[in-house]
Amino acid sequence: MALVQKTNARQNEQITRNKDAEELPKRSSASARQSDRATPFTQSGTGARARSSDLKLREAPVSLEDFGGGINVEDNTPAIIAALKTNRPLHLVCPVPFVRATYRFAKTVDFGALFQKDTTKVPVVIITGEGKDKTVLQYTGPGVGLIGGANAPVSGGYTQSLIMHNLSYIGTGRVPDEVIPSIPLSYFRFKTEANVFAGSDSSQTGIYWEFDAASTISNCEIARFGVGVKTRLGYGATIRSNHFRYNNIAIELTQAVTTITVVDNVIERNGIGIALYQSSLCSFRGNAIQGNYGGCDVYSFIWNKGHKFDSNYFEASSRVVVQDGGNSNSSLVNTAFEFVNNIGLKVELREFAENWSFRRNLMGDVNTTSSGPTFDCTNNNIRGIVVEDNLENHDARLRFTNYTGAGVKNLIVRDSPITIRTKYNMEKMEIGDSSLHKLVVPGSKTGDAVSVSFNKPINAVQLHGWVTESETVSVVFYNPPYGQFTNSVAGELTVEVFPKL
């Protein structure tokens, strides 16, 4: 009897345990609901409903600190990958007021490679900070820092947008206070010079991306890279209100990139400000592109089409816009560039430029009188260039100095003379003597008006000029009967041709 009672007691005890086990999740769930009700969150505004604070927190951006990263971590690469794989915005905080917070990562974050590894997709990569002077993301490794998109740099990725906002993104190149020269850069036909004021001694690339539509880089500093931002095959992105400096190339648009908008940026102290290679239909508006010493502000190489430069400010760079490169294949010629309302513009068209137009630009150096040419056309395959309503050095007519080359054709000038300056030794002239001198002036045509001047005193000797045949101007020196004997004089002869409209 006692044994039966003990057995029944053990069975009852087990039954009680089983009931407790069944009730525990229910009690835990109820407790959670009570906890949720104890910490409700109600958004301000009409129609808002109370919700769990826990659920509300899950809507907020993630931080690197959430995944073991932080300002004291030498390599935040794992934390960056883990944070972005949540498919939520990554926000870099500034934990100490008035102290710049720097988050470093040392390995390439390649979203295509990550996708090939575990099929995780991050369709929109969002990285934000609290201001370019408060939060810094620094790439300390070799090669490229951030790689994204379907084909950057090779196929294997997926359609992907990038939104980077309100932070500094920097490489390991020299800082502005260090007197260390930049690395000379060879970019196709263009070569930069080593310089302590501009460029970079880094070979890193900050961002290499095939931008999907609605990608935006805004309110950021991008500095101390070999290449700041490079994109290929992308479209519809905006690069706005950033500060690019101390890069060998600030922005590189390559290989079928189209419809990129670059607006309201400061692009200064780089080797090349903007590099163009096989790109089309991009808009550059309201940028300050300046002080890119040892290189140039804009370089175009091959198969660039339909770009527009509107209301940009150029200053202090020895070379501003350089076009040099292309191919006789019509699809590889650089066509239909438009420059309008820019200040400080200087142009070098070397080869393969067709149907470019320049309207209402203030050309030449902004703060000084340009001693060199502000519009220089040389070499071959320069055709259909339209120049209209421009000024040089604030108020002077535009000079087309060094406009030479058998391949330069169809320059259409509606506001400025075609100007040729050449050294000339005027022979001694008796009263009544005359001498004829012929110059090649590309672009001149019969019927055009001609003005001739000589920069040394020549008494009463008169100068007359006219276009005798296409691209040839005849100049006559004539000592009239009322003149006087004049010795030979060495000086500079200037011929200005005003095309007939």
Side-chain angles (χ1 to χ4, degrees):
M1 184 67 178
L3 180 60
V4 172
Q5 289 176 343
K6 288 182 181 180
T7 300
N8 290 337
R10 283 196 295 270
Q11 289 176 343
N12 292 335
E13 184 179 351
Q14 185 62 46
I15 290 171
T16 301
R17 288 198 191 101
N18 291 341
K19 288 183 178 180
D20 288 342
E22 291 175 358
E23 291 295 327
L24 182 60
K26 297 179 182 179
R27 290 197 298 269
S28 298
S29 177
S31 176
R33 287 195 298 271
Q34 290 172 357
S35 176
D36 289 345
R37 287 193 296 270
T39 56
F41 173 84
T42 304
Q43 185 63 265
S44 61
T46 303
R49 296 182 179 182
R51 305 173 58 208
S52 161
S53 297
D54 179 63
L55 293 176
K56 180 61 182 177
L57 285 172
R58 290 179 185 178
E59 295 176 354
V62 296
S63 70
L64 293 184
E65 286 77 3
D66 294 334
F67 298 90
I71 58 176
N72 296 318
V73 177
E74 285 301 311
D75 184 9
N76 280 285
T77 307
I80 291 173
I81 293 172
L84 292 173
K85 277 187 173 182
T86 66
N87 271 294
R88 291 159 66 188
L90 168 58
H91 183 67
L92 304 180
V93 301
C94 183
V96 182
F98 310 110
V99 177
R100 212 176 192 206
T102 299
Y103 295 85
R104 298 174 179 85
F105 69 108
K107 298 181 182 64
T108 299
V109 178
D110 184 341
F111 290 93
L114 293 172
F115 173 68
Q116 294 297 319
K117 183 178 179 180
D118 62 12
T119 69
T120 300
K121 286 188 176 182
V122 187
V124 182
V125 174
I126 303 176
I127 305 175
T128 65
E130 297 184 6
K132 68 181 184 65
D133 293 322
K134 295 179 67 177
T135 46
V136 181
L137 180 64
Q138 183 177 28
Y139 180 54
T140 60
V144 186
L146 300 174
I147 298 176
N151 298 282
V154 296
S155 60
Y158 50 93
T159 300
Q160 197 173 29
S161 297
L162 171 66
I163 297 174
M164 180 178 283
H165 178 68
N166 219 27
L167 55 83
S168 284
Y169 180 37
I170 64 174
T172 57
R174 65 193 179 93
V175 297
D177 294 336
E178 295 175 338
V179 186
I180 299 174
S182 59
I183 300 173
L185 172 68
S186 293
Y187 188 78
F188 298 106
R189 294 185 182 179
F190 192 87
K191 298 183 184 299
T192 66
E193 300 174 356
N195 194 288
V196 297
F197 301 107
S200 176
D201 62 341
S202 169
S203 58
Q204 301 165 298
T205 295
I207 297 170
Y208 193 170
W209 210 277
E210 179 185 341
F211 290 123
D212 191 32
S215 292
T216 302
I217 300 174
S218 60
N219 296 90
C220 293
E221 176 191 33
I222 298 180
R224 299 170 59 188
F225 289 107
V227 179
V229 176
K230 180 175 182 176
T231 179
R232 67 188 294 263
L233 297 170
Y235 68 100
T238 299
I239 300 173
R240 177 189 293 274
S241 301
N242 302 289
H243 191 183
F244 290 86
R245 59 177 179 167
Y246 299 102
N247 307 286
N248 265 338
I249 299 176
I251 301 171
E252 184 180 0
L253 306 181
T254 70
Q255 295 177 287
V257 165
T258 188
T259 59
I260 305 295
T261 298
V262 180
V263 59
D264 296 340
N265 301 280
V266 175
I267 304 172
E268 63 177 347
R269 295 183 180 266
N270 306 283
I272 298 174
I274 299 169
L276 304 172
Y277 169 57
Q278 295 184 341
S279 57
S280 66
L281 299 173
C282 296
S283 176
F284 306 88
R285 187 176 69 254
N287 302 287
I289 311 175
Q290 59 192 22
N292 296 301
Y293 306 111
C296 69
D297 292 335
V298 179
Y299 174 66
S300 166
F301 175 58
I302 191 172
W303 197 91
N304 295 298
K305 302 178 185 297
H307 293 313
K308 183 174 183 179
F309 290 80
D310 183 357
S311 304
N312 299 286
Y313 179 87
F314 300 96
E315 183 184 1
S317 303
S318 58
R319 306 175 75 179
V320 178
V321 175
V322 179
Q323 163 56 49
D324 188 7
N327 192 292
S328 57
N329 183 331
S330 61
S331 66
L332 299 179
V333 173
N334 302 275
T335 60
F337 277 55
E338 182 179 1
F339 293 82
V340 59
N341 294 330
N342 299 285
I343 294 177
L345 185 64
K346 292 185 284 188
V347 180
E348 301 175 37
L349 301 183
R350 298 297 183 205
E351 193 170 26
F352 294 105
E354 286 188 356
N355 302 324
W356 291 38
S357 66
F358 300 84
R359 293 182 171 88
R360 298 189 303 277
N361 299 288
L362 181 59
M363 301 187 70
D365 293 322
V366 174
N367 295 316
T368 61
T369 298
S370 301
S371 57
T374 62
F375 202 110
D376 192 350
C377 299
T378 61
N379 215 318
N380 298 308
N381 297 288
I382 309 294
R383 295 187 291 268
I385 310 301
V386 176
V387 183
E388 187 172 25
D389 295 333
N390 303 280
L391 289 175
E392 179 179 311
N393 297 329
H394 300 285
D395 58 3
R397 294 176 308 196
L398 184 62
R399 297 171 295 170
F400 288 85
T401 314
N402 297 341
Y403 176 57
T404 60
V408 180
K409 300 177 182 178
N410 300 328
L411 175 69
I412 303 172
V413 184
R414 298 194 176 114
D415 66 328
S416 307
I418 304 170
T419 303
I420 293 293
R421 292 180 175 84
T422 182
K423 293 181 179 179
Y424 183 74
N425 189 6
M426 189 192 79
E427 299 177 353
K428 65 179 180 180
M429 301 189 72
E430 300 284 351
I431 295 174
D433 283 353
S434 64
S435 63
L436 178 67
H437 182 66
K438 291 189 175 183
L439 296 91
V440 175
V441 182
S444 61
K445 298 178 181 179
T446 55
D448 291 344
V450 176
S451 172
V452 185
S453 61
F454 194 68
N455 70 336
K456 295 298 176 76
I458 50 177
N459 297 324
V461 174
Q462 300 173 358
L463 285 78
H464 304 279
W466 67 97
V467 180
T468 52
E469 57 183 310
S470 292
E471 304 198 339
T472 302
V473 171
S474 294
V475 176
V476 168
F477 287 77
Y478 173 60
N479 196 356
Y482 54 81
Q484 57 185 331
F485 172 80
T486 302
N487 281 314
S488 61
V489 180
E492 183 179 72
L493 178 65
T494 299
V495 176
E496 295 179 303
V497 177
F498 297 83
K500 179 177 64 175
L501 300 181

